[in-house]
Amino acid sequence: MFTAGAEVIELKSGARFSTRTTDLGPGGCFIDTTVPFPIGSNVIINLNKGTKTFGTAGTVVYSQHGLGMGIAFTDLDAEKRLELGDWIAGITGERPAGHEIPRPPKDANPSKGREFVALVRLVRLMIGKGILTEAEGASVLHDPVL
C-alpha cells in the first residue's frame, strides 16, 4: 500500500486542495478527493512523503465524483522521468520499469467523442475489477493509442 501527500492546483480556475495519492506510477497517479476536477483539466501536482517531494504538470484523464481522479503526468522529459523514478525508488525501494511515457499530440482533444466515453467506461470497469490500477488506467486514458 502506497500513500503520499498531494497538493493539486487546477490551472484554469486556480482552485487548489491538499489530499493524498494512493496509487503512483511512471505515467500518473490517482488522487483521493470527493470533488474531482473534470476530465481534461490541466493541473500542477506536488507529491510529498516525508522529506521527499516531486512536482509536475498533469491532465485529469479519469474523474469519479465521490472517489477521486486519475492524473496523467504531461511534462515528463527524460530528466523529470529520472527524478520520478528516483523519487519512487526512494520511497518504495523499487524502481519502476524504465520505458518511454507516450504523450498525445498537442492538438489532440481526447475528451471528445463517443469512442472516448466508451474507453473511459471500459477503463473504469477494469479498475473496479482490479485488472488495472488507477495509475495504469490514467496512463491508458492519457494516450489510448500506442
Side-chain angles (χ1 to χ4, degrees):
M1 180 65 132
F2 173 84
T3 61
E7 179 183 51
V8 184
I9 304 165
E10 199 272 329
L11 295 177
K12 187 175 181 181
S13 67
R16 71 174 53 214
F17 61 86
S18 295
T19 184
R20 68 183 182 150
T21 179
T22 54
D23 191 7
L24 174 66
C29 64
F30 180 77
I31 299 295
D32 287 341
T33 179
T34 56
V35 185
F37 297 130
I39 292 172
S41 297
N42 294 314
V43 299
I44 296 293
I45 182 163
N46 294 298
L47 305 175
N48 58 72
K49 177 116 178 147
T51 60
K52 299 193 178 296
T53 61
F54 175 77
T56 191
T59 300
V60 176
V61 292
Y62 170 83
S63 182
Q64 190 164 8
H65 189 76
L67 295 176
M69 60 187 162
I71 296 176
F73 300 143
T74 54
D75 290 329
L76 290 180
D77 57 17
E79 183 178 327
K80 209 55 154 160
R81 280 192 304 276
L82 285 174
E83 181 184 343
L84 176 60
D86 289 343
W87 197 82
I88 293 171
I91 291 171
T92 65
E94 297 179 17
R95 179 166 292 283
H99 65 279
E100 186 68 24
I101 298 171
R103 285 184 231 149
K106 293 288 183 191
D107 60 349
N109 188 354
S111 63
K112 301 280 190 232
R114 292 174 53 173
E115 295 86 5
F116 189 73
V117 171
L119 179 63
V120 169
R121 292 181 71 196
L122 178 61
V123 169
R124 285 180 181 170
L125 178 65
M126 293 174 77
I127 290 169
K129 292 187 176 282
I131 297 168
L132 293 176
T133 66
E134 294 286 352
E136 290 167 336
S139 181
V140 167
L141 292 172
H142 179 63
D143 190 10
V145 180
L146 299 177

